[in-house]
Amino acid sequence: MPQQTTELRTASFADLNARTLHDLLKLRIDVFVVEQNCPYPELDGRDVEPGTRHVWLTDGGAPLAYLRILADPDGVARIGRVVVAPAARGGGHAGRLMTAALEVVGNRQCVLDAQSHLVAFYARHGFAESGPEYVEDGIPHTPMRRDAIDG
């Protein structure tokens, strides 16, 4: 059985090479647009913002899981586009990715809009529901927040 060589990567947009950017966007589009059947503007302009950090797990160069951390204008970190490749689901990759993302976020307040069936997953990472459920692109979502940590 081959040994898994999963690596965690973090980069700003300026530090992404063309191939990596392509592979990360392809993963996002394959899952959010195609698999979840949500035709929406996946490329929203926020990937290129100087404060955005792209965080992903790779195995042999292919992305297994990805998320981005946005720097909202109010200083709050916003986690979004959390995705795991279909073939890699169930391997603990999303949890590892969230742990890494929260290390990047540090003590700042952090928000996200969870697909509602994943509220318990995000709660295990310190997030609490912060507003009513709403439907976006036909999928129920719940706003969640992790307050700033004193210290």
Side-chain angles (χ1 to χ4, degrees):
M1 180 182 241
Q3 184 176 356
Q4 190 173 14
T5 57
T6 305
E7 293 181 62
L8 177 69
R9 309 265 174 127
T10 303
S12 67
F13 179 79
D15 293 330
L16 292 172
N17 66 42
R19 181 58 196 222
T20 300
L21 177 62
H22 168 273
D23 292 349
L24 295 175
L25 293 176
K26 184 175 184 334
L27 173 60
R28 286 172 25 183
I29 291 166
D30 284 350
V31 173
F32 296 131
V33 178
V34 178
E35 179 185 328
Q36 294 182 355
N37 194 27
C38 296
Y40 73 102
E42 169 58 25
L43 300 178
D44 61 2
R46 301 227 44 203
D47 292 312
V48 302
E49 293 175 358
T52 298
R53 290 297 167 265
H54 302 273
V55 183
W56 71 100
L57 291 169
T58 181
D59 185 10
L64 299 175
Y66 166 90
L67 61 76
R68 70 180 183 184
I69 305 167
L70 304 174
D72 278 357
D74 57 4
V76 173
R78 176 174 296 280
I79 292 176
R81 301 297 203 267
V82 181
V83 61
V84 177
R89 292 179 187 154
H93 301 301
R96 183 172 173 205
L97 203 59
M98 282 300 298
T99 298
L102 292 173
E103 288 175 12
V104 172
V105 168
N107 294 339
R108 291 181 291 163
Q109 181 182 12
C110 186
V111 298
L112 55 80
D113 294 312
Q115 290 189 5
S116 294
H117 71 279
L118 295 170
V119 164
F121 166 78
Y122 291 112
R124 289 194 298 272
H125 291 277
F127 287 85
E129 294 181 38
S130 59
E133 183 178 71
Y134 64 94
V135 175
E136 182 176 356
D137 296 314
I139 298 172
H141 285 73
T142 302
M144 300 188 79
R145 180 181 71 233
R146 187 190 76 155
D147 289 328
I149 300 168
D150 292 330

